[in-house]
Amino acid sequence: MFKIESESVIFGSKLQNRISAITMDRKFLQKPSVEELNKLGKNTISEVLGMSFTNIGDNYLVAKMPVDKRTHQPYGLLHGGASVVLAETLGSVAAMLMVDPEKFYCVGLDINANHIRGIKEGWVYGKTTPVHIGRTTQVWHIEIKNEREQLICVSRITMAVVKK
């Protein structure tokens, strides 16, 4: 799987950078098309909120969601819960693409979100990238931005990798 050579410094930026580089080198085991990813959202909350995947890379996913009456809170701003749904969708799908679906499935253990900026209309775009890909857990970082690439929300999800 991963081989991390021993370091003389247990804590410090050198070891952290090395681990981060190893995780970022991990590639999806499955590489569906954007169209196939969007079929996953049929008859789910993703469809209700108008979400759609727009890009898939070697180890990242991008999806968009409208900011409109479906995703507003009572004051006309993007609902924080809608941002979390977008973040969890991105992290969950990305996690499943890292495993053999015949042997494993992934479920959320924890998610958090920091809401940075409000938005009333337009589109938000979420991108998820791996922080940690392990045998039993995965951690994904999600940034949600508006059309001007201003940060709206930062989220992190921890996924459990469970044997079938």
Side-chain angles (χ1 to χ4, degrees):
M1 192 110 165
F2 295 114
K3 183 176 180 183
I4 300 177
E5 299 161 332
S6 62
E7 296 275 344
S8 58
V9 178
I10 295 174
F11 298 102
S13 62
K14 184 174 182 186
L15 179 60
Q16 290 169 348
N17 288 339
R18 177 175 217 153
I19 292 171
S20 179
I22 291 169
T23 297
M24 291 304 290
D25 285 344
R26 286 291 303 267
K27 294 184 177 171
F28 290 137
L29 295 179
Q30 307 165 64
K31 190 85 179 271
S33 68
V34 169
E35 293 77 22
E36 291 170 314
L37 288 177
N38 285 323
K39 287 179 186 175
L40 295 173
K42 185 105 171 102
N43 298 316
T44 70
I45 193 169
S46 298
E47 182 178 55
V48 171
L49 296 181
M51 283 190 262
S52 62
F53 288 95
T54 61
N55 194 5
I56 179 171
D58 288 336
N59 66 356
Y60 69 88
L61 292 175
V62 179
K64 68 179 182 175
M65 180 177 67
V67 181
D68 61 19
K69 66 182 183 178
R70 294 171 289 182
T71 57
H72 280 161
Q73 41 96 307
Y75 302 109
L77 294 168
L78 176 63
H79 194 293
S83 295
V84 173
V85 172
L86 177 59
E88 183 150 1
T89 300
L90 282 162
S92 296
V93 172
M96 280 303 300
L97 296 178
M98 284 288 186
V99 300
D100 178 348
E102 299 295 318
K103 297 178 183 177
F104 302 97
Y105 62 96
C106 299
V107 294
L109 287 176
D110 181 63
I111 189 165
N112 69 44
N114 296 104
H115 306 290
I116 310 298
R117 175 186 304 267
I119 180 172
K120 291 187 173 193
E121 61 185 13
W123 290 87
V124 289
Y125 297 83
K127 180 178 181 179
T128 189
T129 55
V131 175
H132 165 75
I133 306 298
R135 287 184 308 105
T136 59
T137 61
Q138 296 181 22
V139 178
W140 290 85
H141 173 80
I142 302 99
E143 288 188 357
I144 299 172
K145 296 181 178 182
N146 64 16
E147 293 167 292
R148 296 189 327 217
E149 298 205 17
Q150 296 171 309
L151 191 61
I152 302 298
C153 178
V154 175
S155 183
R156 186 187 70 234
I157 188 168
T158 303
M159 303 294 297
V161 179
V162 181
K163 287 183 182 179
K164 285 189 170 182

